[in-house]
Amino acid sequence: MKNYYWLPFQDNGWHSDTVARMTNRDAILPFSDGTSASRTRLGNSKPAGQWSDIGSGDQLLIGGHGHKYSTEKVTWVLANKNVSWTASQLASAIKLNLANCGQRKIDFHILACFGANNMTPLAKSFGSKLAKELKVRGLRGTLTAYKGATGMMAARGHQTGTSRITALPKFAFGDGASTTGNPTKDAGVIWQLHP
């Protein structure tokens, strides 16, 4: 099993965090425009990977920003604008990049705040929407999204709160992301795709 990280767009905050969280056995996939993501603007680098390298049993970890008041999209913060994708757009991009992906079982992870949190009982989480879209496209394996605000940089590996409501006080009162909150690995919700 190997970990592959993907940022569709060069969000400098997520890019620095992704390279910092990777080991030298992991690989980072190119941005959607085809440019290499293996080196950050600060000069840090990790091994570059290709979509064709991903095999059965590998993990694909996708970084992005979840939304406080919506479960419809994830966003990447760029120097001159923000880019947001719906679950359908993200699933289409994954399918396009993974040639013959129906044959491989991949463990997908969406690293985005509130990825597994519903807004209301009727407004399903981004993770559940993405799982549905990946299934429609015939992808196999699992999708994991996380409850609460996903920690980056100093808070990496920890969640702030378990929902939008429990995360709000930390940010509203200036405390910022929790460096001691629930471990991210324990905050996951897993959806089964095609077996």
Side-chain angles (χ1 to χ4, degrees):
M1 177 187 80
K2 186 168 181 173
N3 294 330
Y4 291 88
Y5 288 83
W6 184 46
L7 300 170
F9 303 97
Q10 190 168 354
D11 177 316
N12 286 328
W14 255 114
H15 193 211
S16 294
D17 180 76
T18 299
V19 169
R21 74 174 58 222
M22 291 173 62
T23 69
N24 285 327
R25 292 181 14 179
D26 300 335
I28 189 164
L29 300 168
F31 297 117
S32 288
D33 65 5
T35 59
S36 175
S38 66
R39 182 174 298 282
T40 70
R41 63 186 166 92
L42 302 175
N44 299 329
S45 66
K46 291 292 183 192
Q50 296 300 319
W51 286 91
S52 58
D53 299 337
I54 300 173
S56 284
D58 287 339
Q59 293 190 104
L60 176 57
L61 300 101
I62 304 159
H65 299 280
H67 290 256
K68 284 186 235 179
Y69 306 111
S70 172
T71 62
E72 295 302 315
K73 314 172 193 184
V74 290
T75 297
W76 295 270
V77 178
L78 310 183
N80 55 355
K81 64 179 177 177
N82 294 347
V83 177
S84 297
W85 277 358
T86 63
S88 178
Q89 289 171 304
L90 182 55
S92 291
I94 292 168
K95 173 74 174 178
L96 180 66
N97 284 303
L98 284 171
N100 302 316
C101 62
Q103 306 306 313
R104 296 176 258 172
K105 284 188 177 180
I106 298 169
D107 294 321
F108 299 92
H109 295 257
I110 183 75
L111 300 172
C113 291
F114 315 115
N117 294 107
N118 297 344
M119 283 296 288
T120 68
L122 298 177
K124 299 295 183 196
S125 69
F126 183 83
S128 67
K129 292 172 185 177
L130 182 58
K132 178 182 174 187
E133 294 294 337
L134 292 171
K135 278 184 181 179
V136 165
R137 286 159 181 79
L139 279 89
R140 300 174 65 206
T142 62
L143 170 72
T144 303
Y146 301 90
K147 290 189 171 198
T150 301
M152 293 172 62
M153 302 313 265
R156 185 180 315 111
H158 296 280
Q159 298 297 103
T160 300
T162 57
S163 69
R164 289 168 175 83
I165 293 169
T166 59
L168 178 64
K170 292 288 279 180
F171 296 105
F173 297 112
D175 291 341
S178 174
T179 58
T180 59
N182 292 338
T184 299
K185 64 180 180 57
D186 295 340
V189 173
I190 300 171
W191 289 268
Q192 185 67 47
L193 305 178
H194 294 288

